[in-house]
Amino acid sequence: MTSANNGREMGLLIRGASQVVQVSSKGEKFKLKDYMSDLAILSATSTEGVSIAVDKNGLIAAIGMDSEIARQYPAATWDTIIEAKGQSVVPGLVDAHTHPVWAGDRVHEFTMKLAGATYMEVHQAGGGINFTVTKTREASEDELLELLIPRLKRMVSSGTTLVECKSGYGLNVETELKMLRVLEKARPLVPITISSTFCGAHSVPRGLTAEEATRRVLEEQLPALKKARESGELQVDSIDVFCEHNVFDVDQTRRILEAGKRDGLLINFHAEELHPLKSAEMGASLGAEVMSHLEEISEEGIAAMAKAGSVGVLLPTTAYILRLTPPPARAMIDAGVPVALGTDFNPNAFCLSMPLVMHLACVTMKMSLAEALTASTLHAAHSLRKAHLHGSIEPGKVADLVVVDAPRWEHLVYQFGGADHVISHVIKNGKVSHCRK
């Protein structure tokens, strides 16, 4: 329960907590099947609570009962002390799928959807992704950054400390790189870790065929991205494609993903959302790290993902807003697929709250509370290949923490839409990044 760091000058001490939900205590990067619900929890006794000690570098140094931590650090001075009596602590939440850089909201389309228009009907009428593409192309980097920063801050206030952020509203070299540069500019401005994803194949631009768009991604966008990465201008972790009927087919998606993989990018793509295309089987054959959506995945696709070890990022907000059948979370978990969660924040699904996503996952996808927490912490971090530093409360990991103002952590999900009230503190790298007023 402790590291070798026993110095007297320390960073943060949280003490007196009713619960510290570690999620993992043995260094696991994922927990499959029934084990997904087996949360590692330290609980207070009748006489003392639980403490977390964080060093000056923002890393977790030790976790244990108050008296144990007091003995380990008898003469320590602390930059910050949080008295957490009657409160619980969970890992910082990880949002595994977002599209946060864009201009031009689509509130008008919400009315169309409520009247019965499908996603593709809106898209074919000139709305959807292409509407946002027009507005985003017109916006400057400064304008996009000014829109992005408040969105990221709202994520932080809801407990998110690590987020995957996609491009995809440019569909040409200039705007895709512009969006990725905006993400770079945001990194030092908001207390949240950003994992950046290139999604130049998010839609087929007006006036092009899908095959023409595919060639432009392969021949123009990816080479420009590679040059920007090699120069140090951009940090990009993953590549994404919207594999869908009347967008990019399975073969076109495969070619783009293979090219990104050759350039050293993780494969993290939209699969089986609106139509069953066997894209999950294709992704598994490539060793895809992540596939998202999966509302229409088949039993064969689930089996292929389990065998390949691909993470399934499920997005209950999208199924809810588009009135789709939710993805088969139970079947995926039972088959041994590591399931993660994300908000899918974008102009179509305007949600910035992972606690709200966890609630929807439990109600609409029949996940347990424990499964939802694992999916929103450890598994979401693993989907970004960052579970060695994020996603659980363990010595040596980054001190990304959420203090819940309730003696049981489940209140974070139970209090539907109540994150602003129930979250007392959000800790990023051992420092308080958000405190409830």
Side-chain angles (χ1 to χ4, degrees):
M1 301 302 293
T2 181
S3 73
N5 182 0
N6 196 21
R8 294 184 177 182
E9 291 187 6
M10 298 292 289
L12 169 71
L13 175 66
I14 298 176
R15 65 186 175 196
S18 294
Q19 287 184 323
V20 170
V21 185
Q22 295 181 259
V23 177
S24 168
S25 62
K26 300 176 182 178
E28 307 100 323
K29 293 180 180 177
F30 51 87
K31 305 172 77 171
L32 300 181
K33 299 186 177 182
D34 292 345
Y35 191 42
M36 189 176 174
S37 290
D38 186 14
L39 299 178
I41 300 178
L42 292 177
S43 299
T45 68
S46 60
T47 58
E48 63 177 335
V50 185
S51 289
I52 303 172
V54 179
D55 67 22
K56 297 285 282 188
N57 296 316
L59 300 179
I60 297 168
I63 311 152
M65 305 308 293
D66 291 341
S67 58
E68 177 186 354
I69 301 304
R71 285 194 301 271
Q72 288 179 269
Y73 300 94
T77 57
W78 304 90
D79 291 340
T80 304
I81 296 176
I82 294 176
E83 300 290 354
K85 184 177 180 180
Q87 299 182 318
S88 50
V89 185
V90 301
L93 304 179
V94 182
D95 191 340
H97 184 120
T98 77
H99 304 257
V101 183
W102 48 268
D105 67 54
R106 305 209 306 255
V107 66
H108 60 286
E109 293 179 11
F110 189 43
T111 302
M112 296 171 64
K113 295 187 186 81
L114 293 178
T118 67
Y119 178 90
M120 291 308 294
E121 285 171 346
V122 171
H123 181 79
Q124 290 163 0
I129 292 171
N130 282 328
F131 175 86
T132 306
V133 167
T134 299
K135 298 298 184 181
T136 304
R137 286 179 176 180
E138 293 171 352
S140 69
E141 283 188 31
D142 287 344
E143 289 169 336
L144 291 173
L145 184 64
E146 188 175 344
L147 291 166
L148 173 63
I149 295 302
R151 295 167 186 165
L152 295 176
K153 288 181 177 179
R154 286 178 63 183
M155 292 180 186
V156 171
S157 69
S158 293
T160 298
T161 54
L162 166 60
V163 59
E164 186 264 6
C165 297
K166 303 178 190 293
S167 68
Y169 294 120
L171 310 185
N172 60 27
V173 172
E174 297 78 15
T175 314
E176 289 296 315
L177 294 183
K178 177 174 69 175
M179 295 176 70
L180 294 169
R181 286 194 297 269
V182 169
L183 289 171
E184 293 298 326
K185 290 181 177 180
R187 292 183 194 274
L189 301 179
V190 183
I192 193 169
T193 298
I194 293 172
S195 177
S196 182
T197 298
F198 165 69
C199 188
H202 194 197
S203 183
V204 177
R206 291 190 180 102
L208 297 182
T209 66
E211 185 58 31
E212 289 169 337
T214 298
R215 288 200 300 270
R216 290 198 180 185
V217 172
L218 293 172
E219 298 170 7
E220 298 176 13
Q221 294 185 36
L222 276 171
L225 175 64
K226 182 178 181 180
K227 182 178 179 181
R229 292 172 65 221
E230 289 177 344
S231 71
E233 179 186 4
L234 296 177
Q235 303 174 56
V236 179
D237 298 321
S238 306
I239 185 167
D240 192 354
V241 178
F242 185 18
C243 185
E244 185 51 72
H245 181 62
N246 288 329
V247 190
F248 294 94
D249 66 24
V250 173
D251 178 66
Q252 291 159 346
T253 300
R254 176 193 289 274
R255 287 153 54 199
I256 295 170
L257 295 177
E258 286 177 332
K261 184 175 182 178
R262 287 194 296 271
D263 286 346
L265 298 171
L266 304 176
I267 294 177
N268 181 344
F269 77 107
H270 291 58
E272 313 286 16
E273 179 181 355
L274 303 174
H275 297 89
L277 303 177
K278 296 190 179 297
S279 55
E281 289 92 324
M282 180 274 291
S285 74
L286 297 180
E289 284 77 14
V290 188
M291 295 178 234
S292 291
H293 283 288
L294 305 167
E295 287 86 352
E296 295 291 335
I297 192 170
S298 65
E299 291 183 6
E300 294 79 11
I302 292 173
M305 288 186 67
K307 184 176 181 180
S310 301
V311 178
V313 175
L314 307 185
L315 309 167
T317 53
T318 305
Y320 170 76
I321 288 169
L322 297 181
R323 297 170 172 169
L324 305 175
T325 299
R330 286 259 51 86
M332 296 180 73
I333 293 169
D334 293 344
V337 175
V339 166
L341 292 172
T343 61
D344 195 18
F345 171 71
N346 71 81
N348 173 62
F350 202 110
C351 177
L352 296 152
S353 170
M354 283 301 294
L356 179 57
V357 166
M358 286 190 279
H359 183 102
L360 289 173
C362 293
V363 173
T364 67
M365 301 195 306
K366 299 181 172 59
M367 292 177 68
S368 71
L369 285 160
E371 288 170 341
L373 184 63
T374 301
S376 301
T377 53
L378 187 68
H379 283 189
H382 175 57
S383 77
L384 306 175
R385 294 305 185 260
K386 296 184 183 297
H388 61 295
L389 290 175
H390 301 270
S392 62
I393 303 176
E394 300 181 76
K397 284 197 170 185
V398 174
D400 289 355
L401 310 166
V402 176
V403 181
V404 179
D405 192 9
R408 292 178 59 95
W409 74 267
E410 292 94 338
H411 278 268
L412 184 64
V413 183
Y414 165 69
Q415 294 191 23
F416 185 39
D420 289 348
H421 171 77
V422 77
I423 292 176
S424 171
H425 297 79
V426 179
I427 312 298
K428 178 64 188 171
N429 295 333
K431 297 187 181 299
V432 176
S433 60
H434 172 76
C435 182
R436 185 186 61 201
K437 295 180 180 178

